[in-house]
């Protein structure tokens, strides 16, 4: 009956007021800090993503037309690669699953990860689990996350009002992402960015801050009840 602290808590198994969802750490720490001072719509891109395209099991929605077709090569960049250990093994036996992989790789090689952080919104799609390494990476530079996930408990959901920061879409509603973002009032976008930056600084910024957030979550859930 131990309380679970995990990055992949799902709404179907999560025990409210008992388990605690924590974020995946950032993989890319070497990003220009000055990007965080840029306001929405002052940035080079509108919406971006660079990451792995999965060909089997969890995360296959990244290979769907709804996800990949958001790329327009102008202000929306969706750069994916099929190069991944599990993909490589699969393609040896089922090469037909690699449709459009070469085309996607050409796009992937055309953009640097840091360059794509100069964006107003950043896609943070679920991968092999509902969580995404991109979440903290985009938050660290003032980018508003656009989460694509099903059945996911957001990190520190008792401390953070995520609905004031990111936007979340199910994998079956990806066609609504661009229309929703394009029609969002500027004042709302700016408010979301401000709150996202406050959230990152207060709860997610580094290991010490994350540890304090865990302690606060534990305190709120257990000490008060005792």
């Amino acid at each position: 009956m131990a309380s679970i602290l995990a990055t992949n808590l799902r709404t179907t198994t999560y025990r409210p007021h008992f388990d605690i969802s924590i974020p995946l750490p950032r993989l890319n720490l070497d990003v220009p800090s000055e990007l965080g001072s840029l306001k929405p719509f002052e940035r080079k891109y509108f919406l971006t993503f660079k990451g792995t395209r999965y060909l089997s099991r969890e995360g296959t929605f990244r290979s769907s037309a709804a996800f990949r077709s958001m790329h327009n090569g102008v202000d929306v960049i969706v750069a994916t690669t099929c190069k991944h250990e599990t993909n490589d093994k699969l393609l040896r036996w089922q090469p037909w699953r690699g449709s459009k992989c070469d085309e996607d790789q050409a796009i992937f090689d055309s953009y640097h990860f840091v360059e794509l952080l100069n964006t107003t919104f950043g896609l943070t799609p679920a991968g092999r689990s509902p969580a995404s390494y991109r979440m903290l990476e985009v938050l660290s530079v003032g980018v508003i996350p656009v989460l694509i996930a099903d059945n996911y408990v957001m990190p520190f959901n008792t401390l953070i009002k995520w609905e004031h920061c990111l936007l979340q879409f199910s994998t079956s509603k990806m066609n609504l992402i661009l229309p929703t973002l394009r029609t969002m009032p500027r004042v709302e976008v700016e408010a979301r960015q401000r709150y996202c930056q406050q959230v990152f600084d207060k709860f997610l910024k580094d290991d010490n801050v994350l540890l304090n957030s865990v302690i606060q979550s534990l305190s709120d859930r257990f000490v008060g009840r005792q």
Side-chain angles (χ1 to χ4, degrees):
M1 297 299 294
S3 176
I4 297 174
L5 281 75
T7 62
N8 61 345
L9 290 182
R10 301 172 186 270
T11 55
T12 48
T13 54
Y14 168 70
R15 297 169 294 180
H17 309 297
F18 194 68
D19 297 329
I20 297 174
S21 178
I22 58 178
L24 285 169
R26 286 182 283 166
L27 291 181
N28 296 280
L29 297 174
D30 186 21
V31 297
S33 57
E34 61 269 18
L35 284 177
S37 63
L38 295 177
K39 301 300 181 184
F41 308 109
E42 294 178 357
R43 297 171 178 244
K44 182 175 182 179
Y45 298 109
F46 181 72
L47 175 69
T48 64
F49 171 75
K50 183 173 184 178
T52 303
R53 171 186 159 191
Y54 297 107
L55 304 179
S56 65
R57 300 184 300 175
E58 298 86 357
T60 52
F61 71 88
R62 293 188 183 186
S63 289
S64 69
F67 183 78
R68 294 170 58 252
S69 65
M70 283 189 279
H71 175 83
N72 64 18
V74 183
D75 65 344
V76 179
I77 307 300
V78 178
T80 61
T81 178
C82 296
K83 292 182 179 179
H84 185 274
E85 182 179 0
T86 56
N87 287 345
D88 294 342
K89 291 179 180 178
L90 179 68
L91 290 174
R92 293 191 194 106
W93 301 100
Q94 299 178 338
W96 55 270
R97 288 185 179 270
S99 174
K100 305 289 187 179
C101 280
D102 291 341
E103 177 182 316
D104 288 351
Q105 188 64 44
I107 297 172
F108 185 87
D109 293 337
S110 299
Y111 298 94
H112 191 277
F113 175 79
V114 173
E115 174 193 2
L116 295 182
L117 290 177
N118 189 356
T119 181
T120 296
F121 297 97
L123 287 172
T124 60
R128 289 303 193 202
S129 74
S132 172
Y133 289 103
R134 296 290 175 270
M135 180 72 71
L136 262 60
E137 290 170 350
V138 301
L139 283 170
S140 71
V141 289
V143 175
I144 301 169
V146 179
L147 175 66
I148 305 173
D150 303 316
N151 191 18
Y152 176 46
V153 179
M154 293 297 300
F156 304 131
N157 60 338
T158 61
L159 304 177
I160 301 170
K161 296 180 179 179
W162 285 108
E163 68 274 14
H164 297 327
C165 169
L166 59 75
L167 293 101
Q168 181 171 356
F169 296 84
S170 67
T171 56
S172 63
K173 301 292 185 180
M174 289 187 290
N175 62 304
L176 300 179
I177 292 176
L178 277 176
T180 301
L181 300 184
R182 295 285 193 195
T183 57
M184 186 175 295
R186 186 185 187 97
V187 64
E188 180 181 345
V189 177
E190 292 172 344
R192 284 182 180 274
Q193 188 204 39
R194 285 194 300 271
Y195 185 74
C196 284
Q197 290 176 315
Q198 294 168 7
V199 163
F200 180 76
D201 290 339
K202 186 175 182 179
F203 300 108
L204 310 167
K205 190 172 185 177
D206 54 38
D207 289 346
N208 288 331
V209 172
L210 285 167
L211 178 58
N212 287 333
S213 298
V214 170
I215 293 172
Q216 185 176 343
S217 295
L218 288 169
S219 177
D220 289 347
R221 295 194 176 192
F222 296 106
V223 175
R225 292 175 178 275
Q226 292 175 349

